Amino acid sequence: MGTATAGRSSRATAWHNWAGNVTATPARVVTPASVGELQEAVRRAAEDGLKVKAVGTGHSFTAAAATDGVLVRPQALAGIREIDRTAGTVTVAAGTVLKDLNTALAREGLSLTNMGDIMEQTVSGATSTGTHGTGRDSASIAAQIRALELVTADGRLLTCSEKENPDVFAAARIGIGALGIVTAITFAVEPVFFLTAREEPMGFDRVTAEFEQHFAENEHFEFYWFPHTGNCNTKRNNRSQGPAAPPGAVSAWVEDELLSNGVFQAVNSLGRAVPATIPSIARIASRALSARTYTDIPYKVFTSPRRVRFVEMEYALPRERVVEALRELKSMVDRSGLRVSFPVEVRTAPADDIALSTASGRETAYIAVHMYKGTPYQAYFTAAERIFTAHGGRPHWGKVHTRDAEYFAGVYPRFGEFTALRDRLDPDRLFGNAYLRRVLGA
């Protein structure tokens, strides 16, 4: 990335995302040090006839933030602005990284209710694309937003909440960068609590047969299926009285290195070079797991480091359809010549009221498929997507998919509400790009 001093712009070299599957060469990069500087950058871009996109840490696999115009880096707009213990909220600048927010909240004895499984993203990037964890009752990070500030195409700063500009609030919590540039977010928080995690290997047939029971009995249930095997690993996170009892050194190494990072990197590299080895590796890796239980504060249980780079597709399905879809996915992989070295992840979310949330208006379960960076993924993802769309699936806005506005109009009852608001806030498409043209229409 070309360097840009705070508040000033510079010419930029090519930008690429975390996975390396998206690149862009903006005309200039802006790193505003204040909201006023951001407003000025937006006005100037409009005068120069350039599009504007804000980019976080590049953890999306889609080109949602790509632009050949002005690329805004919000990293200087970071930190906690205010903690309101009476209201149970924290207001943070948009460029704040989730890791920094979580550690700062923990020092204050506070916590978000739910989290995704990584925390390297900025708060605005994570919420704008609908990042979520798993939860029976607690929803995505965006669903925990109580207010937000947005710089619109005319350079105004708009404050949105259920009481102030509620029509914008209903959509902008997951806005995919189409409505403006988020400058601050107010999240609901609660006193910090303990979660006890119970991880347990389980057969594919059992976990799918008992899926609804596991969902009903646990606050946060998820599982991973290892393709080319009948093996899964399940994880149940539930609130407990504590005290903290983090994973022991050996089990932490197995989870964080064998399954997620160092050793996993090595076996994926081997699989990429010699695909025929992947089924054997999968059987060994899935049998290396053993049950373990540990207790810690929420972000230390919800999240884990992810150093092995991959490409991902994830679809949100009506929860009652997920087991059928997963069985179809397994049958497809078993019949095909595909070699898949990454586990398939299954999570859940309650229905929410955000216009373009993948859980908007329906109880939801997610299936995520991954391929190691540099491995051809199109055949696998195309076959998986065919299954997911047959079940009315909604793709994650920040993950690989091929859907367009016509498709989204059919699976999102409030799609027209969002596009009408976009027409009002950004009629000239200052915040547009090729990705938004495809998914939202011209």
Side-chain angles (χ1 to χ4, degrees):
M1 190 83 227
T3 57
T5 53
R8 290 163 55 192
S9 62
S10 73
R11 293 218 165 268
T13 54
W15 168 86
H16 62 83
N17 66 342
W18 179 81
N21 68 312
V22 177
T23 59
T25 305
R28 61 179 182 251
V29 178
V30 180
T31 310
S34 68
V35 174
E37 288 181 359
L38 174 59
Q39 291 174 280
E40 181 55 34
V42 169
R43 289 190 198 103
R44 194 178 146 212
E47 289 167 7
D48 294 345
L50 294 172
K51 305 291 188 188
V52 187
K53 296 304 297 179
V55 65
T57 53
H59 269 268
S60 287
F61 302 91
T62 62
T67 187
D68 59 2
V70 177
L71 193 72
V72 175
R73 308 282 304 204
Q75 277 76 355
L77 300 175
I80 290 178
R81 285 193 190 175
E82 181 190 9
I83 292 174
D84 185 335
R85 293 181 185 274
T86 304
T89 60
V90 60
T91 301
V92 294
T96 308
V97 175
L98 281 166
K99 180 186 289 184
D100 298 334
L101 173 60
N102 277 295
T103 52
L105 286 175
R107 284 197 299 270
E108 297 287 340
L110 298 168
S111 177
L112 294 170
T113 298
N114 202 355
M115 270 287 296
D117 58 7
I118 64 169
M119 53 179 181
E120 311 303 322
Q121 314 104 309
T122 60
V123 293
S124 55
T127 54
S128 294
T129 53
T131 296
H132 62 91
T134 189
R136 181 188 61 205
D137 312 303
S138 53
S140 70
I141 305 177
Q144 298 169 67
I145 294 176
R146 295 295 170 263
L148 59 83
E149 286 178 8
L150 191 71
V151 172
T152 56
D154 57 7
R156 284 183 306 145
L157 185 64
L158 206 60
T159 302
C160 313
S161 67
E162 286 184 343
K163 294 179 180 173
E164 200 172 356
N165 297 301
D167 56 335
V168 181
F169 182 70
R173 284 171 286 170
I174 298 179
I176 340 170
L179 304 177
I181 296 179
V182 176
T183 57
I185 298 174
T186 299
F187 290 104
V189 291
E190 59 178 303
V192 73
F193 54 95
F194 286 109
L195 284 172
T196 292
R198 180 180 163 204
E199 296 176 8
E200 180 186 2
M202 195 175 289
F204 180 92
D205 292 340
R206 180 185 163 193
V207 76
T208 51
E210 298 176 357
F211 175 74
E212 279 297 321
Q213 178 187 340
H214 293 307
F215 167 80
E217 292 175 352
N218 296 282
E219 291 172 77
H220 309 274
F221 175 69
E222 65 185 304
F223 70 94
Y224 300 85
W225 164 59
F226 292 82
H228 312 296
T229 80
N231 303 328
C232 297
N233 193 37
T234 63
K235 186 176 182 181
R236 307 168 176 89
N237 297 331
N238 290 288
R239 294 190 184 217
S240 73
Q241 295 302 307
V250 172
S251 71
W253 182 88
V254 169
E255 172 65 27
D256 294 335
E257 291 305 319
L258 177 61
L259 292 179
S260 304
N261 292 303
V263 179
F264 194 50
Q265 174 91 46
V267 299
N268 271 282
S269 296
L270 173 61
R272 184 172 64 189
V274 191
T277 62
I278 287 174
S280 300
I281 291 169
R283 285 189 289 273
I284 294 165
S286 63
R287 285 200 294 261
L289 297 164
S290 57
R292 65 173 185 166
T293 302
Y294 54 93
T295 300
D296 218 323
I297 60 175
Y299 82 86
K300 294 185 179 181
V301 173
F302 286 135
T303 69
S304 53
R306 290 281 183 267
R307 295 195 302 273
V308 179
R309 303 208 177 205
F310 53 82
V311 177
E312 180 177 359
M313 168 184 282
E314 180 182 66
Y315 264 75
L317 309 179
R319 200 183 74 238
E320 66 274 12
R321 306 292 291 273
V322 73
V323 168
E324 182 185 355
L326 187 66
R327 287 173 176 153
E328 290 173 19
L329 184 72
K330 184 176 187 297
S331 295
M332 180 275 292
V333 171
D334 289 346
R335 289 193 316 268
S336 73
L338 294 168
R339 294 291 175 258
V340 182
S341 62
F342 257 82
V344 172
E345 183 178 26
V346 179
R347 296 178 288 174
T348 68
D352 65 40
D353 64 349
I354 304 169
L356 290 191
S357 166
T358 48
S360 184
R362 73 184 190 192
E363 292 284 319
T364 294
Y366 297 92
I367 304 179
V369 296
H370 312 69
M371 284 293 258
Y372 182 50
K373 180 183 174 183
T375 305
Y377 62 84
Q378 286 82 357
Y380 177 37
F381 284 13
T382 298
E385 191 172 40
R386 198 172 293 127
I387 292 167
F388 301 151
T389 54
H391 290 278
R394 300 168 175 168
H396 189 299
W397 295 108
K399 296 178 184 178
V400 173
H401 68 88
T402 66
R403 302 297 89 189
D404 60 14
E406 183 181 5
Y407 180 85
F408 290 122
V411 295
Y412 282 101
R414 295 169 65 185
F415 187 76
E417 174 189 330
F418 187 95
T419 54
L421 179 66
R422 183 191 187 207
D423 287 342
R424 177 160 67 83
L425 291 180
D426 186 16
D428 298 325
R429 304 295 188 254
L430 181 67
F431 303 114
N433 63 7
Y435 178 72
L436 292 181
R437 202 158 45 247
R438 170 162 70 91
V439 301
L440 298 178

